[in-house]
Amino acid sequence: MFIRFLRGLALATGLAAGTAAATEPPILTVTIEGRDINQTLVALHRAAAGHNYSYVRQQAIDSRLVPYGQEVRSVRLFYFCNMEKMDRALRLDPRAAQWIPYRITLVETPTGVDLMAVNPAWVALGIGNPELWPEAEALKRDFLSILDEVTL
Amino acid sequence: MRGAGLLFLAACLLAPVTAAEPLTASKPATMLRAVEDITLAAANHDMVLVKDQPIDTALQKRGFGNPHVRVLFIGSETAVRWAEAADPLLLNLLPLRLTLVEADGMVTVMTDDFEPWLRDFPEEPAQRLLKAWRVELREVLDDYAWQ
């Protein structure tokens, strides 16, 4: 009976994960037209703070890999965090570190800036621990809200 | 917290190395020693420590418990240029992340899980890149384990 219950649970979890995985995009993206990367970074700072996240750092994609003067200026990584959310997720499963610290990548294009973030809900489905899913889902909503606010 | 760490460690030790996703390597060490060893292992494979993100001390300083978790980022210029050419969305994986989890005198080093990326980025250039990174990281982790 117990084995049947476990099999059922595994099947249900697998099905739920499979269904959700099919609907969760790996990357959350928005495009901002008519603004440069520095203007977008300012807006991103403001939006993250407004959602109760602290700024951690920003860096070029090739920071420390090439001399400072030769870093690519058109791709920047913006890191931010919320200690309570981090603490909660890591208590549930250390593999939650796969989305810590939180990050949005900015890519300057000829017409504006593309922003992208790995979808924590997609990562959580890959990890396969259902206890993490509500945390990741909430985080995804915050990411989308921050990205949305940056476009305003 | 400790329970989660021990469960994680047990899962890593029991899982066959070749089937483990994400990739992991464990050995007896302190967190500081593990950071030094992984930095050296990365350098042996032409990769640089880009950032040591001390999540453990950051949380402790703010009154939270010690999660015994730290994140390191390692990378190479080649990886960046290759990702830009293959699929810019893969820049989201760079610099490559290594999560260090300390439990019971062991430090387990874990990569991000590449399986979902391989599943959702099926184009040939992305597949080649992801598989190459996974091989490189496996070698770095093996190097760490054997030091």
Side-chain angles (χ1 to χ4, degrees):
Chain A
M1 181 63 115
F2 182 63
I3 297 293
R4 196 182 301 163
F5 167 75
L6 283 181
R7 281 185 186 145
L9 185 66
L11 182 64
T13 306
L15 285 176
T19 310
T23 57
E24 284 297 345
I27 312 286
L28 310 171
T29 58
V30 296
T31 296
I32 298 167
E33 301 287 345
R35 263 195 253 164
D36 67 23
I37 204 162
N38 290 325
Q39 292 168 321
T40 309
L41 275 166
V42 171
L44 191 50
H45 266 276
R46 201 167 37 231
H51 286 79
N52 206 22
Y53 288 90
S54 306
Y55 169 74
V56 173
R57 70 177 185 280
Q58 56 150 310
Q59 65 182 68
I61 185 72
D62 51 3
S63 171
R64 300 204 175 188
L65 304 176
V66 298
Y68 177 74
Q70 293 171 28
E71 286 177 354
V72 170
R73 297 285 163 197
S74 58
V75 183
R76 296 204 69 81
L77 318 181
F78 178 87
Y79 288 98
F80 55 110
C81 73
N82 175 300
M83 292 291 168
E84 282 176 23
K85 289 177 197 287
M86 275 168 39
D87 177 62
R88 218 164 37 230
L90 289 172
R91 279 178 187 276
L92 291 170
D93 193 321
R95 290 173 297 177
Q98 285 187 53
W99 64 66
I100 291 172
Y102 316 134
R103 163 178 157 181
I104 291 175
T105 303
L106 299 89
V107 181
E108 196 165 53
T109 66
T111 57
V113 180
D114 293 332
L115 285 87
M116 50 189 181
V118 177
N119 179 358
W122 178 75
V123 176
L125 288 169
I127 291 172
N129 180 349
E131 287 189 331
L132 278 177
W133 295 350
E135 295 293 328
E137 217 15 79
L139 201 54
K140 181 185 86 172
R141 282 196 300 273
D142 282 352
F143 279 21
L144 287 171
S145 188
I146 288 168
L147 290 172
D148 189 45
E149 198 171 310
V150 175
T151 62
L152 298 177
Chain B
M1 181 72 69
R2 185 178 166 80
L6 285 174
L7 267 178
F8 168 75
L9 178 62
C12 290
L13 292 175
L14 291 172
V17 169
T18 51
E21 291 295 346
L23 306 174
T24 62
S26 301
K27 69 173 182 180
T30 61
M31 191 62 95
L32 285 180
R33 174 68 193 273
V35 172
E36 284 175 10
D37 287 356
I38 206 74
T39 304
L40 187 58
N44 288 342
H45 296 271
D46 296 323
M47 297 173 101
V48 174
L49 177 68
V50 174
K51 178 71 183 171
D52 172 2
Q53 198 79 54
I55 295 170
D56 44 2
T57 53
L59 282 167
Q60 271 189 304
K61 274 183 194 168
R62 289 161 183 82
F64 296 94
N66 185 347
H68 300 285
V69 172
R70 189 171 280 224
V71 173
L72 304 183
F73 292 100
I74 61 173
S76 70
E77 187 187 358
T78 310
V80 174
R81 305 295 166 239
W82 195 1
E84 283 173 331
D87 185 340
L89 289 179
L90 297 180
L91 290 171
N92 283 288
L93 269 170
L94 298 178
L96 296 164
R97 177 198 313 266
L98 295 173
T99 301
L100 279 59
V101 183
E102 189 179 26
D104 262 12
M106 305 278 284
V107 175
T108 298
V109 182
M110 167 179 77
T111 65
D112 282 356
D113 187 355
F114 280 77
E115 283 307 315
W117 291 88
L118 284 162
R119 186 191 62 227
D120 285 354
F121 291 84
E123 298 77 18
E124 183 50 32
Q127 291 280 311
R128 212 169 329 125
L129 182 56
L130 289 164
K131 285 174 185 171
W133 286 347
R134 194 165 60 171
V135 168
E136 268 187 331
L137 286 172
R138 178 72 265 163
E139 289 172 358
V140 170
L141 263 55
D142 287 346
D143 200 330
Y144 160 78
W146 286 106
Q147 277 177 26

